[in-house]
Amino acid sequence: MEYEQIKKLIDDMGNANIDELEIEFPEGTKISMKKNKETVITQSQVQPQLVTTSTNSIPSIQVNNENTLIRENEDKKIEENYKIIKSPMVGTFYSKPSPDKEKFVNVGENIKKGKVVCIIEAMKLMNEIESEFDGEIVEVCIDDGDVVEYGTPLFKIK
C-alpha cells in the first residue's frame, strides 16, 4: 500500500463517525486505526513496517508534586462554591449591547435570575443570555469578542 493511500485512509478516518477501524487485504496488508489514541498502521508483507501517527491526541503530563495536588484540590473546593453560567451555544461573546453602551454586568454586581448578562452572536443573530442564578458576579471568564463553544464558562457567581 502506498504512502498517499495510507494518508488518505487516516484523513477519511478522522472525518468519519467511527472510533475504530480494522482492514485486512488479501495480499497480507493489515491496517488498524483508533481515534484519539495512537493510530497504528502495520504492513505485513516482505518486511513488516510500523507507522505511528497521532490523531488529535494531546499528551497528558502528570506531576507527582504534593504541593501541586493540594493546590488543585483547593482550587476545586473554591470552584465548588461558585455557580457557573455556561454558554448555551457556539458563537462570539459580547459583554455590551453595542460598543458605545455599558456592560450588561460587572464584577461585584448583584444580579437576579433572568437578568441579561451578555450576548452571544451566532450566525449573525444576537442571542441574549440570561442568568440562571441569583447572586454576585465574581468573575467574567471570557473577554469581549472571544469565540465560545457550547458549555464554555462565561461567569462565576457567588
Side-chain angles (χ1 to χ4, degrees):
M1 186 166 225
E2 297 294 320
Y3 173 77
E4 290 301 320
Q5 292 172 318
I6 294 172
K7 187 175 176 186
K8 176 149 177 38
L9 271 175
I10 292 171
D11 290 341
D12 290 346
M13 175 72 176
N15 295 330
N17 289 331
I18 56 174
D19 293 329
E20 191 172 333
L21 174 68
E22 289 189 26
I23 302 172
E24 190 167 342
F25 295 97
E27 71 273 4
T29 302
K30 184 177 182 181
I31 297 174
S32 175
M33 292 188 272
K34 293 181 184 178
K35 276 190 183 177
N36 294 331
K37 297 180 182 175
E38 279 192 353
T39 301
V40 179
I41 301 172
T42 7
Q43 287 187 335
S44 52
Q45 292 175 345
V46 180
Q47 292 182 335
Q49 296 177 341
L50 179 65
V51 179
T52 304
T53 307
S54 176
T55 56
N56 299 331
S57 293
I58 299 174
S60 60
I61 299 172
Q62 295 181 354
V63 179
N64 292 329
N65 183 341
E66 288 181 25
N67 293 334
T68 303
L69 295 176
I70 291 170
R71 186 175 196 180
E72 286 175 3
N73 289 336
E74 288 173 359
D75 289 344
K76 285 180 184 177
K77 286 179 186 174
I78 291 170
E79 296 272 330
E80 290 173 2
N81 295 331
Y82 296 127
K83 299 171 192 157
I84 308 288
I85 298 175
K86 296 180 181 179
S87 175
M89 64 187 69
V90 175
T92 304
F93 172 86
Y94 295 107
S95 62
K96 305 175 187 178
S98 66
D100 58 334
K101 302 279 182 176
E102 292 289 321
K103 290 183 178 183
F104 287 107
V105 293
N106 293 302
V107 174
E109 183 179 339
N110 284 314
I111 61 170
K112 297 283 182 193
K113 181 178 180 178
K115 175 167 176 45
V116 175
V117 292
C118 67
I119 291 176
I120 296 184
E121 178 187 2
M123 296 179 9
K124 308 265 186 210
L125 293 174
M126 300 298 183
N127 301 283
E128 291 183 339
I129 307 303
E130 297 177 351
S131 175
E132 304 164 24
F133 315 105
D134 292 339
E136 179 186 338
I137 301 285
V138 176
E139 181 182 349
V140 180
C141 304
I142 301 293
D143 292 326
D144 224 17
D146 282 355
V147 175
V148 294
E149 299 287 328
Y150 173 81
T152 301
L154 303 174
F155 298 92
K156 290 182 185 176
I157 302 200
K158 179 167 67 169

